[in-house]
Every structure is written in structure tokens, then in C-alpha cells.
């Protein structure tokens, strides 16, 4: 198979899938080597980087997916009559952050960190496709562990969870007592 056919095969597989496909599965499905796959991916990136292309090639961890470029989202939403995405609640963002930085984790871990019942919030994030089950832990009760998904990566424009911003150092964070002192000083002025 020549290079243009390999590229066309990879493109067809990604297009037909609609979902991210891991490099190994993509290579196996197209009957190509890792090097041939990498070369085809580069050719597709070049093709889609052209200004007149509405398609982009996303790399999500060790998988690839075709998607529409972000600037076409309003038109796609209008065509599909998709209502405006609802923003995540502060509780959902908090739970999602806890999972993203500590994954895989249980609902109990999220609840312990947040200090409140988080079952509903975690279930909602699973329904939205931002979290998924990552198996069960070998602990009493065999609790379910959760991890972030490719939907999470796309929603936050990340290629990998390794691209998450670093957490601030403990010394850079303000304590509750410092916050109260600052409020008292502001009220006195």
C-alpha cells in the first residue's frame, strides 16, 4: 500500500469511528507499522491545518480522533439544534478537579476531600461523559474507582491529563485564617 492509500485508510477509519481510537488499534486495523501510522498522522495534520479545512485531528493521550474545528461549533450546534451547553456547577467543577488530579479515585475519596456527600455530583459527571468507571478497588465493599474521559480532555482542550496546570504549592495558598484577617482589615478601612 502506498503512502496516500495508508493516509486515506487512516482517515476513513477515524471518520467512520467518530470516537477516539488508540494508536495500537488504529495501526492494527489499517495493517500498518507504527512508523507508517505516524507518517500518515503527520500527513493528515498537514492536510487539516489548511485554513479551508473545517476538520482537525485531535490527539487524546495515545489515541486520535477527527473533529470539527472550534470556530464551526456555533454552526454545528444550530444545525443539530443543540441548546447552549450548561456550565458545570461549582460542586461539579470541584469534584471533577479532585478526580482529574488524583485519579483513579472513589466517591468516598471525593466526599472526604470536599467534606460533603458527592454521590449525585459524581453520578452527574458520569452521565455527562466527563467521568467513567476505572474498575473496582481491592478494598472492603469493592468500591468503584472513577477517572476522567476523552470527553473531559476535549472539553478542557487537553491532549492528556499530564497537560493539567500544576497545583499551587502549599505556601502559595491562602489559609482560612488569612482570609478572615484580610476581610477584617478591609472592613476596618
Amino acid at each position: 500500500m502506498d503512502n496516500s492509500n495508508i493516509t486515506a485508510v487512516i482517515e476513513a477509519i477515524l471518520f467512520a469511528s467518530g470516537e477516539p481510537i488508540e494508536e495500537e488499534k488504529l495501526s492494527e486495523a489499517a495493517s500498518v507499522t507504527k512508523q507508517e501510522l505516524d507518517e500518515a498522522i503527520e500527513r493528515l495534520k498537514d492536510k487539516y491545518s489548511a485554513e479551508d479545512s473545517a476538520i482537525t485531528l485531535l490527539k487524546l493521550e495515545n489515541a486520535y480522533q477527527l473533529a470539527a474545528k472550534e470556530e464551526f461549533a456555533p454552526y454545528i450546534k444550530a444545525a443539530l439544534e443543540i441548546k447552549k451547553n450548561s456550565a458545570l456547577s461549582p460542586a461539579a467543577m470541584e469534584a471533577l478537579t479532585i478526580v482529574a488530579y488524583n485519579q483513579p479515585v472513589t466517591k468516598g475519596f471525593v466526599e472526604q476531600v470536599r467534606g460533603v456527600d458527592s454521590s449525585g455530583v459524581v453520578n452527574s459527571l458520569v452521565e455527562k461523559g466527563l467521568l467513567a468507571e476505572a474498575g473496582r478497588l481491592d478494598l472492603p465493599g469493592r468500591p468503584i474507582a472513577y477517572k476522567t474521559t476523552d470527553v473531559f480532555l476535549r472539553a478542557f482542550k487537553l491532549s492528556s491529563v499530564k497537560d493539567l496546570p500544576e497545583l499551587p504549592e502549599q505556601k502559595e495558598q491562602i489559609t482560612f485564617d488569612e482570609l478572615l484577617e484580610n476581610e477584617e482589615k478591609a472592613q476596618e478601612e
Side-chain angles (χ1 to χ4, degrees):
M1 191 171 3
D2 69 15
N3 287 345
S4 62
N5 284 346
I6 292 172
T7 304
V9 167
I10 300 298
E11 183 178 40
I13 293 169
L14 290 171
F15 175 79
S17 169
E19 296 291 325
I21 300 180
E22 293 179 5
E23 291 175 331
E24 186 177 310
K25 288 182 182 178
L26 191 55
S27 179
E28 185 180 313
S31 300
V32 298
T33 65
K34 171 79 167 97
Q35 182 178 348
E36 290 173 317
L37 174 65
D38 291 343
E39 291 168 359
I41 291 294
E42 285 305 313
R43 286 190 294 275
L44 285 174
K45 284 180 183 176
D46 291 343
K47 176 181 178 178
Y48 296 135
S49 66
E51 287 185 32
D52 62 344
S53 177
I55 305 296
T56 186
L57 180 64
L58 302 176
K59 180 166 175 50
L60 307 165
E61 295 282 350
N62 63 342
Y64 291 97
Q65 180 179 14
L66 291 180
K69 289 183 178 174
E70 193 174 337
E71 61 260 29
F72 298 103
Y75 306 107
I76 295 167
K77 286 180 183 179
L80 299 176
E81 298 179 348
I82 298 173
K83 294 183 179 176
K84 183 181 176 208
N85 288 336
S86 58
L88 293 175
S89 68
M93 283 297 290
E94 195 173 81
L96 194 55
T97 301
I98 292 165
V99 175
Y101 280 97
N102 299 286
Q103 61 189 310
V105 298
T106 63
K107 285 181 187 176
F109 179 84
V110 175
E111 290 173 359
Q112 183 180 10
V113 173
R114 291 190 64 228
V116 295
D117 178 38
S118 299
S119 293
V121 172
V122 171
N123 290 342
S124 171
L125 292 169
V126 170
E127 286 174 20
K128 288 177 173 33
L130 295 168
L131 295 182
E133 291 185 13
R136 291 188 175 267
L137 299 182
D138 195 18
L139 297 170
R142 307 243 329 127
I144 298 170
Y146 294 91
K147 65 179 182 174
T148 57
T149 64
D150 291 338
V151 173
F152 166 81
L153 293 175
R154 281 192 303 275
F156 289 91
K157 298 178 179 101
L158 301 169
S159 292
S160 165
V161 291
K162 294 174 185 163
D163 295 337
L164 285 167
E166 290 196 25
L167 292 172
E169 295 292 323
Q170 182 71 24
K171 62 185 176 197
E172 295 173 13
Q173 297 182 29
I174 190 166
T175 66
F176 186 69
D177 291 335
E178 291 171 329
L179 183 65
L180 288 175
E181 287 176 21
N182 291 343
E183 284 183 18
E184 288 174 2
K185 287 179 185 177
Q187 289 176 357
E188 291 174 1
E189 293 176 354

